[in-house]
């Protein structure tokens, strides 16, 4: 019995000596520091959608949401885009792709007047200013463009 107790005690001491202490990593918080929406390019007109006609030009882009996913730790930007188009988007100079979240209507009628798009910007590990930009080009003639820019400031939580 004494030998078993001594082996267990030695094993417990061995575990105690190999245990490492981990300091809690500081968490980052998000705040919108600056905002800038660029108007459509000069000389390009907005083409409204009509039944059986062309899809509506992109007329508005706004920040719908932004958050850090608690599971992956990735930062997400969510945009509400009125109209139909395709985008080229960047987070701190790195291209990011959009994922469709849902469509919406402005008047409750059939069809969609716009879309909610989500962007996985990856993990942000350092505090500082991070720039998100997106340029949407409308699907149909006159292929007008609308751009969006936000600067997100990440700081350590107090």
């Amino acid at each position: 019995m004494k030998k078993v107790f001594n082996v267990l005690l030695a094993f417990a001491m061995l575990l105690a000596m190999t245990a490492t202490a981990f300091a809690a990593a500081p968490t980052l918080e998000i705040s919108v520091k600056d905002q800038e929406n660029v108007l459509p390019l000069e000389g390009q007109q907005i083409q409204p959608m009509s039944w059986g006609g062309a899809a509506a030009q992109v007329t508005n882009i706004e920040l719908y949401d932004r958050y850090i996913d608690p599971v992956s730790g990735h930062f997400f930007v969510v945009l509400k885009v009125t109209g139909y188009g395709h985008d080229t988007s960047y987070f701190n100079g790195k291209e990011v792709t959009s994922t469709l979240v849902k469509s919406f209507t402005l008047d409750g009628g059939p069809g969609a007047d716009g879309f909610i798009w989500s962007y996985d910007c990856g993990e942000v590990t350092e505090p500082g200013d991070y720039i998100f930009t997106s340029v949407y080009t409308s699907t149909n003639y006159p292929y007008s463009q609308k751009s969006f820019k936000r600067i997100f400031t990440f700081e350590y939580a107090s």
Side-chain angles (χ1 to χ4, degrees), residues 57-134:
Q57 300 289 302
V58 174
T59 58
N60 189 41
I61 305 171
E62 60 187 87
L63 182 64
Y64 187 76
D65 195 8
R66 80 269 195 246
Y67 62 93
I68 295 177
D69 180 62
V71 176
S72 68
H74 288 200
F75 176 62
F76 284 83
V77 174
V78 184
L79 297 181
K80 181 179 179 181
V81 179
T82 305
Y84 287 75
H86 55 86
D87 70 302
T88 304
S89 301
Y90 297 90
F91 183 69
N92 236 29
K94 179 184 172 195
E95 189 167 5
V96 291
T97 57
S98 57
T99 302
L100 179 63
V101 175
K102 66 180 179 178
S103 62
F104 66 89
T105 62
L106 298 174
D107 60 3
D113 294 314
F115 303 90
I116 308 292
W117 296 99
S118 175
Y119 297 85
D120 182 349
C121 299
E123 192 172 6
V124 176
T125 58
E126 295 293 324
D129 291 341
Y130 292 80
I131 301 171
F132 178 86
T133 59
S134 187

Side-chain angles (χ1 to χ4, degrees), residues 39-47 57 141-145:
L39 298 174
L41 300 175
E42 291 290 323
Q44 294 188 345
Q45 298 177 359
I46 302 302
Q47 179 182 355
Q57 300 289 302
Y141 180 81
Y143 309 105
S144 61
Q145 290 185 326

